[in-house]
Amino acid sequence: MGSSFGTLFRISTFGESHGIGVGVVIDGCPARLPLDVSEIQAELDRRRPGQSKITTQRKESDTAEILSGVQDGLTLGTPISILVRNADHRSRDYDEMQSKYRPSHADFAYDQKYGIRAWSGGGRASARETIGRVAAGAIAKKILATFGVEVIAYVETIQNLRATIDPNTVTQAAVEANIVRCPDSAQAEVMITLIEKVRKDGNSIGGVIGAVARGVPAGWGEPVFDKLEADLARAMLSLPACKGFEIGGGFGMTERLGTEVNDPFMADENGQVTTSSNFSGGIQGGISNGMPITLRLAFKPTATVMHEQPTVTTEHENTTLQGRGRHDPCVLPRAVPMVEAMFALTLVDHALRQRAQRLI
Amino acid sequence: MGSSFGTLFRISTFGESHGIGVGVVIDGCPARLPLDVSEIQAELDRRRPGQSKITTQRKESDTAEILSGVQDGLTLGTPISILVRNADHRSRDYDEMQSKYRPSHADFAYDQKYGIRAWSGGGRASARETIGRVAAGAIAKKILATFGVEVIAYVETIQNLRATIDPNTVTQAAVEANIVRCPDSAQAEVMITLIEKVRKDGNSIGGVIGAVARGVPAGWGEPVFDKLEADLARAMLSLPACKGFEIGGGFGMTERLGTEVNDPFMADENGQVTTSSNFSGGIQGGISNGMPITLRLAFKPTATVMHEQPTVTTEHENTTLQGRGRHDPCVLPRAVPMVEAMFALTLVDHALRQRAQRLI
Amino acid sequence: MGSSFGTLFRISTFGESHGIGVGVVIDGCPARLPLDVSEIQAELDRRRPGQSKITTQRKESDTAEILSGVQDGLTLGTPISILVRNADHRSRDYDEMQSKYRPSHADFAYDQKYGIRAWSGGGRASARETIGRVAAGAIAKKILATFGVEVIAYVETIQNLRATIDPNTVTQAAVEANIVRCPDSAQAEVMITLIEKVRKDGNSIGGVIGAVARGVPAGWGEPVFDKLEADLARAMLSLPACKGFEIGGGFGMTERLGTEVNDPFMADENGQVTTSSNFSGGIQGGISNGMPITLRLAFKPTATVMHEQPTVTTEHENTTLQGRGRHDPCVLPRAVPMVEAMFALTLVDHALRQRAQRLI
Amino acid sequence: MGSSFGTLFRISTFGESHGIGVGVVIDGCPARLPLDVSEIQAELDRRRPGQSKITTQRKESDTAEILSGVQDGLTLGTPISILVRNADHRSRDYDEMQSKYRPSHADFAYDQKYGIRAWSGGGRASARETIGRVAAGAIAKKILATFGVEVIAYVETIQNLRATIDPNTVTQAAVEANIVRCPDSAQAEVMITLIEKVRKDGNSIGGVIGAVARGVPAGWGEPVFDKLEADLARAMLSLPACKGFEIGGGFGMTERLGTEVNDPFMADENGQVTTSSNFSGGIQGGISNGMPITLRLAFKPTATVMHEQPTVTTEHENTTLQGRGRHDPCVLPRAVPMVEAMFALTLVDHALRQRAQRLI
């Protein structure tokens, strides 16, 4: 239980990392939306392994097949099911996982919960599960575009390297201009060098992903528990390796005075209301206020490292585990499309919810 | 829509700040739980205004009445409804709110969403709404106690004042030992002095609340969208003034190496598995691993300040607004029981969910 | 768990028959709907006991208080909470219920489920619980009126007395013209005489309630599990004493040929499509087709009779129970507003759901 | 929206009749349940077309593939996804459907709702959608068996032919002993002859399916909206062609006196409580009481007939439509496994819900 997300635009993902395949069922997509499988594939290509020298070198084509819900290039309003079959991954590199718990992985917790675990490749806890999210997110983005909404995520820091990025102006093109997906091109080069070094050391590093949604009209978000920032926080913390969430001024606001971080409203000659600062991050009282929605997300270093680490066996005896095979030294470049997907999925659900409740 | 929380232990809050009353309906509370209204009142007293010199000086008794679901001191398994009637608050201090939007308050966003707003006292966006949560949280804590689980929140920082607290050993008594609810008694004194100064200045400050749940067994949490940390993030970000969330190592982990923040498993002579560090914050892959669950939450300075601020009228014309009346210079001492309530409500829901899915 | 109904227009009822009170929280009511408590009271008066010589003679005023969600006669878009306090009912007539299970009542099942039971007055299983539904239904009807939709229920049979009613033309006025709520005024007189006789005998009788919704536009209903008829069936079977449900031709269609019960489409000069018969009952494939939605509902004789019946004690020993006090010989006249409420609540929820999913 | 069913054991079906395939995702299946694809296939074979001379003669193998959630013959506790690929069906027989609405089919309603429709083969409104339900139902039955619960459905009437069946003793073997799935073997022969005659006439007939669940412990069902009979009614009315629902005495009780249809409790020497009659159909107050749960369901004649019928074009002009190709003269034999599936899915969901709410 727990593999579904959304109230009106609702996705359900399925699939283990080394099983037959992974995928998603999307229920609640409006009818008559133009949709081609290539649009989904484009997003999947942004998240697939092996896309550059700084991600894991596993090669997977991750080819999407639409099983239902689309006819002659238009959505039918019925569930859209998308399947990506897995290549055969059962390698010897994973054998030791059957009898030993990898530190800071989900192996132990799954065994405690279910009494069984898909030990090969991390099963459902693998980042491979996010394929369904990214596929659904591609559709969510298309719907948001009809509202004039654009969602962009980007790498803001890698370890202690901090990029300079203006969320009000950053473009998708600038994000995609380099393999680390940091729109500060100078800092991107330094980041890439650092990630390569960490990979050679068999270690891993994390960082912060920033994200912005521009064009969101005022009025989305449902007080008091389904506040827009609450649902965004849930969406992001459901991503593998995400350990922190900030909206607007975030933790930094805790060291400032109220007079410093209040966002004064101001009106232009057309009666259009904006705020002169945006510490609120585009959401007040759980409802969008028309300003850009700005998030910052902490991604920890990936747990897989090529070092020997102390751990326990499935029989609960102390042992050590030596990391082997390929590993992803830094998850952030591939996490950028995952963040965009969860951002878009949350927004589109609230867009539909808001539309439902206005009397004509 | 959006006033309910939880899947199996489900609460629905209602009520505006200056309406007839506020309250909650709790559906899914197990039957035969001993429950007295005094247990609910005790938690409400921790969050009520006027409780000390550093909170707002409004006096409200916030007396709880149980309307249903309890018979002769035992829960019936049916919905428990709790009502707190409001005192009459319609003061002149609020009149200007009818025609001007308070900066960084929810006034403007509510008007944009609903085309109408309970302008007096903040309506549904008032912290008064949390009365229902805290009342329900009192019941959630009682159920958690039957699982051996204890939830404690505390003030960790006020502005740039940082307390020293060990989440593994902090006690409720230490938290309640001073009015700022910071278990570091020396630092608490400094914090109180600072808050008093800020109040005299008519300004406001924020800080960080820490929280820990101890005794949670391994196995709670539902991958992949209802991961325990995801539901906790949603729970916390749904609280007024909360702008950031961290679990375990949080943002700090983004500057470390994988080898530094992985949590090695170790087994004792009884085969009991723990981890020698707890950067994961007690949750791995969305599932509790038996270690303490540790959170940090950013609360911004309250938006109400006694200064003149630029803003707009409801007619979208530029103006200024002068804060008047009583204000809460720092929400954190009263937010501590709110955080505990949301923490407990999230955990009890997952406790019931986990129980449902184990085959006999 | 299970005291909520609806996806977007969601109600949660609470309260035991002989507790403090009963009521409802409505989440998802659109904002700016004109609403006065008298409109709710009018519907409650239709379902209250003691309204005529053929219902139970208990006197209850059932006065509604709106606790939240309404300001100056307009809904706020926030949860609307309505409370009806109970009079003090703990009479000696109920004492025996504490130790003996009433046949065909819910006493035994509640004890088995919860291990406890509000034995006085039937607790949550009392028809008194429907007060919250009827109150919420009054609001649902107001919203439906903005769509041009009208919902009417009526008594169609009492025992073997069958009225002649045309669902296409029946009016609310005709239903309210007599105390049995049967728009066939001649047959109504016979029904009243029968009910009076049965009451004198200390017995009870049932019958069939018919219901129609006119003006529902084509397009409401969500295949495949939330088909409009499926949600209507659930709504009706959740009412006390309801044991059967038919839509359109219902069970009668099972004895006919396909060619006899297919509904041919036909278009008028304006391209308006209707069907020349309506065996489908206004719903095809789970979606309204623009024709009147017609239902028939079986209500069994009420379980309370003034006779001695064999039963068991709470200690599971055989005994007998003699009915005492006042009883309701026929629930149907008071069930009419309950049926209308559930019909309206189901339709308004689907109206909002359908609005959400159409792209602009 | 609307393609999911269940709260804790939750299924989501997908797929159009003539698309790539149909299937289901099951979220919430307990872990470590032994499961082989052959067990699912066995149920699919009971509902597939072409299985006998009295069903449609289309030949479809309906081969199930498990995509996820099972490892080495045990469920993982993660989503189980099952896919059945469609054969290529796009025949000329369906061409006319693109421009004309079939009477009493869902074509018109879908077009009105979505503005688009999978015109070939009925799309999502095809009985083919139930493949996902039947596959999931096979798993639900396995879980119910661990509770000692057995679910059996059977044909009770075909048109005006009525079988004699005792729900307390009927066996699965007796149901499967003939192709019409009527355990009254003598009457079954007459039914088969009738169905063959109707098929030759190019017409269709309906009937009543009875169903019983034996071994359900007292305590399942969630008052007041998720009463067990309410969820069962929704489950059954969501099936194609189902137009009526009765539990226990059903409509027949409306013509009886309370003293005639009350079910007296009685205890045996072991304190085991039963009722001496079962007009309640095993459910009182929405909660199972330990007696067999008995249902009766009206299935109308299938809408497809080989006659010329008046209808309208998609341009809303009057026309006629001549039925062509193969048709299913009577859906009931194939609906039996569908009814069992929906019965089992409803029960297993309530079994898990009940387990969740009992405090240890």
Side-chain angles (χ1 to χ4, degrees):
Chain A
M1 209 55 199
S3 288
S4 296
F5 184 85
T7 296
L8 291 181
F9 188 94
R10 187 166 177 86
I11 73 168
S12 302
T13 70
F14 61 84
E16 278 72 42
S17 177
H18 287 185
I20 303 295
V22 294
V24 66
V25 177
I26 302 151
D27 198 9
C29 181
R32 298 184 59 78
L33 182 79
L35 183 65
D36 190 82
V37 70
S38 64
E39 299 169 301
I40 292 163
Q41 193 62 51
E43 289 290 334
L44 291 183
D45 290 346
R46 293 178 73 208
R47 69 125 269 148
R48 82 178 158 77
Q51 65 183 261
S52 78
K53 62 184 177 183
I54 58 169
T55 69
T56 174
Q57 293 307 297
R58 268 180 293 115
K59 296 291 182 192
E60 292 168 286
S61 67
D62 290 353
T63 306
E65 179 185 21
I66 299 177
L67 300 174
S68 67
V70 180
Q71 177 182 268
D72 301 336
L74 289 178
T75 59
L76 286 164
T78 57
I80 301 169
S81 183
I82 301 168
L83 174 65
V84 171
R85 289 194 176 260
N86 295 330
D88 186 4
H89 286 298
R90 298 241 177 179
S91 91
R92 300 287 302 275
D93 294 340
Y94 289 102
D95 278 2
E96 217 173 357
M97 293 183 194
Q98 190 165 12
S99 57
K100 295 180 181 179
Y101 294 126
R102 292 169 298 163
S104 283
H105 274 276
D107 305 344
F108 171 73
Y110 267 68
D111 252 4
Q112 290 289 311
K113 182 177 187 67
Y114 298 111
I116 187 174
R117 147 183 73 103
W119 55 269
S120 178
R124 188 87 179 125
S126 160
R128 198 159 173 76
E129 177 273 332
T130 63
I131 284 177
R133 308 181 187 215
V134 170
I139 300 173
K141 283 182 180 180
K142 288 207 65 170
I143 300 172
L144 288 176
T146 70
F147 287 92
V149 173
E150 182 183 30
V151 172
I152 303 176
Y154 41 82
V155 169
E156 192 174 303
T157 76
I158 293 290
Q159 211 186 43
N160 52 5
L161 300 173
R162 183 171 304 272
T164 302
I165 304 162
D166 180 355
N168 297 305
T169 57
V170 64
T171 65
Q172 186 87 61
V175 173
E176 294 300 308
N178 57 65
I179 59 176
V180 76
R181 292 201 170 90
C182 171
D184 176 342
S185 56
Q187 193 63 290
E189 289 308 305
V190 189
M191 289 172 172
I192 292 166
T193 304
L194 174 61
I195 295 171
E196 288 191 284
K197 177 187 174 306
V198 167
R199 185 176 58 190
K200 277 182 207 139
D201 294 345
N203 218 323
S204 63
I205 46 174
V208 173
I209 290 182
V212 62
R214 295 190 301 241
V216 175
W220 293 4
E222 299 297 320
V224 295
F225 294 109
D226 301 351
K227 285 177 174 171
L228 193 48
E229 68 267 46
D231 278 1
L232 286 168
R234 177 182 169 229
M236 297 306 164
L237 265 296
S238 78
L239 284 171
C242 184
K243 303 296 280 187
F245 173 92
E246 290 185 321
I247 179 159
F251 278 89
M253 295 170 83
T254 68
E255 303 193 8
R256 309 286 289 275
L257 289 168
T259 47
E260 293 173 322
V261 297
N262 276 352
D263 294 319
F265 289 108
M266 56 185 197
D268 67 15
E269 58 275 21
N270 302 317
Q272 186 68 30
V273 174
T274 55
T275 60
S276 52
S277 59
N278 190 17
F279 287 98
S280 299
I283 303 177
Q284 292 174 327
I287 302 168
S288 60
N289 68 357
M291 299 297 290
I293 297 175
T294 55
L295 309 179
R296 293 180 79 249
L297 312 159
F299 282 83
K300 67 164 187 163
T302 40
T304 302
V305 291
M306 301 296 100
H307 293 240
E308 185 171 28
Q309 298 177 92
T311 190
V312 297
T313 67
T314 53
E315 302 301 314
H316 294 193
E317 293 176 345
N318 290 303
T319 183
T320 63
L321 180 65
Q322 169 66 47
R324 286 190 182 82
R326 294 151 179 160
H327 84 297
D328 206 338
C330 181
V331 75
L332 278 82
R334 294 175 58 210
V336 162
M338 300 178 201
V339 166
E340 288 180 6
M342 294 311 299
F343 207 154
L345 289 164
T346 306
L347 289 177
V348 79
D349 192 46
H350 278 279
L352 300 188
R353 292 179 74 173
Q354 171 62 1
R355 184 190 289 155
Q357 68 193 261
R358 296 298 296 250
L359 274 188
I360 301 159
Chain B
M1 208 56 199
S3 288
S4 296
F5 184 85
T7 296
L8 290 181
F9 188 92
R10 187 168 178 85
I11 73 168
S12 302
T13 71
F14 60 85
E16 277 72 42
S17 177
H18 288 186
I20 303 297
V22 295
V24 66
V25 178
I26 302 150
D27 198 11
C29 181
R32 298 183 59 79
L33 182 78
L35 183 66
D36 189 82
V37 70
S38 65
E39 298 169 301
I40 292 163
Q41 193 62 51
E43 288 291 334
L44 291 183
D45 289 347
R46 293 178 74 208
R47 68 123 270 145
R48 85 178 156 77
Q51 64 183 262
S52 78
K53 62 184 176 182
I54 58 169
T55 69
T56 175
Q57 293 306 298
R58 269 180 293 116
K59 296 290 182 193
E60 292 168 286
S61 67
D62 291 353
T63 307
E65 180 184 22
I66 299 177
L67 300 174
S68 67
V70 180
Q71 177 182 267
D72 301 335
L74 289 178
T75 59
L76 286 163
T78 57
I80 301 170
S81 183
I82 301 169
L83 174 65
V84 171
R85 288 195 178 260
N86 295 330
D88 186 4
H89 286 298
R90 299 239 178 179
S91 92
R92 299 287 301 276
D93 294 340
Y94 289 102
D95 279 2
E96 218 173 356
M97 292 183 195
Q98 190 164 14
S99 58
K100 295 180 181 179
Y101 294 126
R102 292 170 297 164
S104 282
H105 274 276
D107 305 345
F108 171 74
Y110 267 69
D111 253 3
Q112 290 289 310
K113 181 177 187 67
Y114 298 111
I116 187 173
R117 146 182 75 102
W119 55 269
S120 178
R124 188 87 179 127
S126 161
R128 198 159 174 76
E129 178 272 331
T130 62
I131 284 178
R133 309 180 186 214
V134 170
I139 301 173
K141 283 182 180 180
K142 287 206 65 169
I143 300 172
L144 287 177
T146 69
F147 287 92
V149 174
E150 182 183 29
V151 173
I152 304 176
Y154 42 81
V155 169
E156 191 174 304
T157 77
I158 295 289
Q159 212 187 41
N160 51 8
L161 301 173
R162 183 171 304 271
T164 303
I165 303 161
D166 180 355
N168 297 306
T169 57
V170 65
T171 65
Q172 186 87 61
V175 173
E176 294 300 310
N178 57 64
I179 59 177
V180 76
R181 292 203 168 88
C182 172
D184 176 342
S185 57
Q187 193 62 291
E189 289 308 305
V190 189
M191 288 173 173
I192 292 167
T193 303
L194 174 62
I195 295 172
E196 288 191 286
K197 176 184 174 308
V198 167
R199 184 175 61 188
K200 278 182 206 138
D201 294 345
N203 218 324
S204 63
I205 46 174
V208 173
I209 290 181
V212 62
R214 294 190 300 241
V216 176
W220 293 3
E222 299 296 321
V224 294
F225 294 109
D226 301 351
K227 285 177 172 171
L228 194 48
E229 67 268 48
D231 277 1
L232 286 168
R234 178 183 169 228
M236 297 307 165
L237 265 295
S238 79
L239 284 171
C242 184
K243 303 296 281 186
F245 172 93
E246 289 186 322
I247 178 159
F251 279 89
M253 295 170 84
T254 68
E255 304 192 8
R256 309 285 289 275
L257 290 167
T259 46
E260 293 173 322
V261 297
N262 276 352
D263 295 318
F265 290 107
M266 54 186 200
D268 67 15
E269 59 275 20
N270 302 317
Q272 187 67 31
V273 174
T274 55
T275 60
S276 51
S277 59
N278 190 15
F279 287 99
S280 299
I283 302 177
Q284 291 174 328
I287 302 168
S288 60
N289 68 357
M291 298 297 289
I293 298 175
T294 55
L295 308 180
R296 293 179 78 250
L297 313 159
F299 281 82
K300 67 162 186 163
T302 41
T304 301
V305 292
M306 300 296 101
H307 292 242
E308 184 171 28
Q309 299 178 93
T311 190
V312 297
T313 67
T314 53
E315 302 301 314
H316 294 193
E317 292 177 346
N318 291 304
T319 184
T320 63
L321 180 65
Q322 170 65 49
R324 287 191 180 82
R326 294 151 178 161
H327 85 296
D328 206 338
C330 181
V331 76
L332 278 82
R334 294 175 57 210
V336 162
M338 301 177 200
V339 165
E340 288 180 5
M342 294 311 299
F343 207 155
L345 289 164
T346 306
L347 288 178
V348 80
D349 193 46
H350 278 280
L352 300 188
R353 292 177 75 173
Q354 171 62 1
R355 183 188 291 154
Q357 68 194 262
R358 297 298 296 252
L359 274 187
I360 302 157
Chain C
M1 209 54 200
S3 288
S4 295
F5 183 85
T7 296
L8 291 181
F9 188 93
R10 187 166 178 85
I11 74 168
S12 302
T13 71
F14 60 86
E16 276 73 43
S17 178
H18 286 186
I20 303 295
V22 295
V24 66
V25 178
I26 303 150
D27 198 10
C29 181
R32 298 184 59 77
L33 182 79
L35 183 66
D36 189 82
V37 69
S38 64
E39 298 168 301
I40 292 163
Q41 193 62 52
E43 288 291 335
L44 292 184
D45 289 347
R46 293 177 73 208
R47 69 124 270 147
R48 83 177 158 77
Q51 65 184 261
S52 78
K53 62 184 177 183
I54 58 170
T55 70
T56 174
Q57 293 307 296
R58 269 181 293 115
K59 295 292 183 192
E60 291 168 287
S61 67
D62 290 352
T63 307
E65 180 185 21
I66 299 177
L67 300 174
S68 67
V70 180
Q71 177 182 268
D72 301 336
L74 289 178
T75 59
L76 285 164
T78 58
I80 301 170
S81 182
I82 300 169
L83 175 64
V84 170
R85 288 193 177 262
N86 294 331
D88 185 6
H89 287 298
R90 299 239 177 181
S91 91
R92 299 288 301 276
D93 293 341
Y94 290 101
D95 279 1
E96 217 173 358
M97 292 183 195
Q98 190 165 11
S99 57
K100 296 179 181 179
Y101 295 125
R102 294 169 296 163
S104 283
H105 274 275
D107 304 345
F108 171 73
Y110 267 68
D111 253 3
Q112 290 290 310
K113 181 177 188 64
Y114 298 112
I116 188 173
R117 147 182 72 103
W119 55 269
S120 178
R124 188 90 179 124
S126 160
R128 198 159 173 74
E129 177 272 332
T130 63
I131 284 178
R133 309 180 186 216
V134 170
I139 300 174
K141 283 182 179 180
K142 288 208 64 171
I143 300 172
L144 287 177
T146 71
F147 286 91
V149 173
E150 183 183 29
V151 173
I152 303 176
Y154 41 82
V155 169
E156 193 174 302
T157 77
I158 294 289
Q159 213 186 43
N160 52 7
L161 300 173
R162 183 171 305 271
T164 304
I165 304 161
D166 180 353
N168 298 305
T169 57
V170 64
T171 65
Q172 186 86 62
V175 173
E176 295 301 308
N178 57 65
I179 59 176
V180 77
R181 292 203 168 88
C182 172
D184 176 340
S185 56
Q187 194 62 292
E189 288 309 306
V190 189
M191 289 172 172
I192 292 166
T193 303
L194 174 62
I195 296 171
E196 288 191 284
K197 176 187 175 306
V198 167
R199 184 175 60 188
K200 276 182 207 139
D201 294 344
N203 218 324
S204 63
I205 46 174
V208 173
I209 291 182
V212 62
R214 295 189 299 242
V216 176
W220 294 2
E222 300 296 320
V224 293
F225 294 109
D226 300 352
K227 285 177 173 169
L228 194 48
E229 68 267 46
D231 278 1
L232 286 167
R234 177 184 169 227
M236 297 307 165
L237 265 294
S238 78
L239 284 171
C242 183
K243 303 296 279 187
F245 172 94
E246 289 186 322
I247 179 159
F251 279 89
M253 295 169 83
T254 68
E255 304 193 7
R256 309 285 289 276
L257 290 167
T259 46
E260 294 172 321
V261 297
N262 276 353
D263 296 317
F265 290 108
M266 57 186 196
D268 67 16
E269 58 276 18
N270 302 315
Q272 187 66 31
V273 174
T274 55
T275 60
S276 52
S277 58
N278 189 17
F279 287 98
S280 299
I283 303 178
Q284 291 174 327
I287 302 168
S288 61
N289 68 357
M291 298 299 288
I293 297 174
T294 55
L295 309 179
R296 291 180 81 249
L297 312 159
F299 281 83
K300 66 164 187 162
T302 40
T304 301
V305 292
M306 301 296 100
H307 293 241
E308 185 171 28
Q309 298 176 93
T311 188
V312 297
T313 68
T314 53
E315 302 302 314
H316 293 191
E317 293 176 346
N318 290 304
T319 183
T320 63
L321 180 66
Q322 169 66 47
R324 287 191 181 82
R326 294 149 179 163
H327 85 295
D328 206 338
C330 180
V331 76
L332 277 81
R334 294 176 58 211
V336 163
M338 301 178 201
V339 166
E340 289 181 5
M342 294 312 298
F343 207 154
L345 289 164
T346 305
L347 289 177
V348 80
D349 192 45
H350 277 279
L352 300 188
R353 292 178 75 172
Q354 171 62 0
R355 184 190 290 155
Q357 69 194 259
R358 296 298 295 249
L359 274 187
I360 303 158
Chain D
M1 209 56 201
S3 288
S4 296
F5 183 85
T7 296
L8 291 181
F9 189 92
R10 187 167 177 85
I11 73 167
S12 301
T13 70
F14 60 86
E16 277 72 43
S17 177
H18 287 186
I20 303 295
V22 296
V24 66
V25 177
I26 303 150
D27 199 10
C29 180
R32 297 182 61 77
L33 182 78
L35 183 65
D36 189 82
V37 70
S38 65
E39 298 169 301
I40 292 163
Q41 193 62 51
E43 288 291 334
L44 292 184
D45 289 348
R46 293 177 73 210
R47 68 121 272 148
R48 84 179 156 78
Q51 64 183 261
S52 78
K53 61 184 177 183
I54 59 169
T55 70
T56 175
Q57 294 306 296
R58 269 180 292 117
K59 295 290 184 195
E60 292 167 289
S61 67
D62 291 351
T63 307
E65 179 185 22
I66 299 178
L67 299 174
S68 67
V70 180
Q71 178 183 267
D72 300 336
L74 289 177
T75 59
L76 286 163
T78 57
I80 301 170
S81 184
I82 301 169
L83 174 64
V84 170
R85 290 195 177 260
N86 295 330
D88 186 5
H89 287 298
R90 297 238 178 181
S91 90
R92 298 289 301 277
D93 293 341
Y94 289 101
D95 279 3
E96 217 173 358
M97 292 184 193
Q98 189 164 15
S99 57
K100 295 180 181 178
Y101 295 126
R102 293 169 297 164
S104 283
H105 275 275
D107 305 344
F108 171 74
Y110 267 67
D111 252 3
Q112 290 289 310
K113 181 177 188 66
Y114 298 112
I116 187 173
R117 145 183 75 101
W119 55 268
S120 177
R124 187 88 180 127
S126 160
R128 199 159 172 74
E129 178 273 331
T130 62
I131 284 177
R133 309 181 186 215
V134 171
I139 300 174
K141 283 182 181 180
K142 287 207 63 169
I143 300 173
L144 288 176
T146 70
F147 287 92
V149 173
E150 181 183 30
V151 173
I152 303 176
Y154 41 81
V155 169
E156 191 174 304
T157 77
I158 294 288
Q159 213 187 42
N160 51 7
L161 301 173
R162 184 170 305 272
T164 302
I165 304 162
D166 181 354
N168 298 305
T169 56
V170 64
T171 65
Q172 186 86 62
V175 174
E176 295 300 309
N178 57 65
I179 58 177
V180 77
R181 293 203 166 88
C182 172
D184 176 342
S185 56
Q187 192 62 291
E189 289 308 306
V190 189
M191 290 173 173
I192 291 167
T193 304
L194 174 61
I195 295 172
E196 287 191 285
K197 175 186 175 307
V198 168
R199 185 176 58 189
K200 277 183 205 138
D201 295 345
N203 218 325
S204 63
I205 46 174
V208 173
I209 291 182
V212 62
R214 295 190 299 242
V216 175
W220 292 3
E222 301 296 320
V224 293
F225 294 109
D226 300 351
K227 285 177 174 170
L228 193 48
E229 68 268 47
D231 278 1
L232 286 168
R234 178 183 168 228
M236 297 307 165
L237 265 294
S238 79
L239 284 171
C242 184
K243 304 296 279 185
F245 172 93
E246 290 186 322
I247 179 159
F251 279 89
M253 294 169 84
T254 68
E255 304 192 9
R256 308 284 290 275
L257 289 167
T259 47
E260 294 172 322
V261 297
N262 276 352
D263 294 318
F265 290 108
M266 55 185 200
D268 66 16
E269 59 275 19
N270 302 316
Q272 186 68 29
V273 174
T274 55
T275 60
S276 51
S277 59
N278 190 17
F279 288 98
S280 300
I283 302 178
Q284 292 173 329
I287 302 168
S288 60
N289 68 357
M291 298 297 289
I293 298 174
T294 54
L295 309 180
R296 291 181 79 250
L297 313 160
F299 281 82
K300 67 164 187 162
T302 41
T304 301
V305 292
M306 301 297 100
H307 293 242
E308 184 171 28
Q309 298 178 93
T311 189
V312 297
T313 67
T314 54
E315 302 301 313
H316 293 191
E317 293 176 346
N318 291 303
T319 183
T320 63
L321 181 65
Q322 170 66 47
R324 288 191 179 81
R326 295 151 177 160
H327 85 296
D328 206 338
C330 181
V331 76
L332 278 82
R334 293 176 57 211
V336 162
M338 301 178 201
V339 165
E340 288 181 5
M342 293 311 299
F343 207 155
L345 289 164
T346 305
L347 289 178
V348 80
D349 193 45
H350 278 280
L352 299 188
R353 292 178 75 173
Q354 171 62 1
R355 183 189 292 157
Q357 69 194 261
R358 296 298 296 252
L359 274 188
I360 301 158

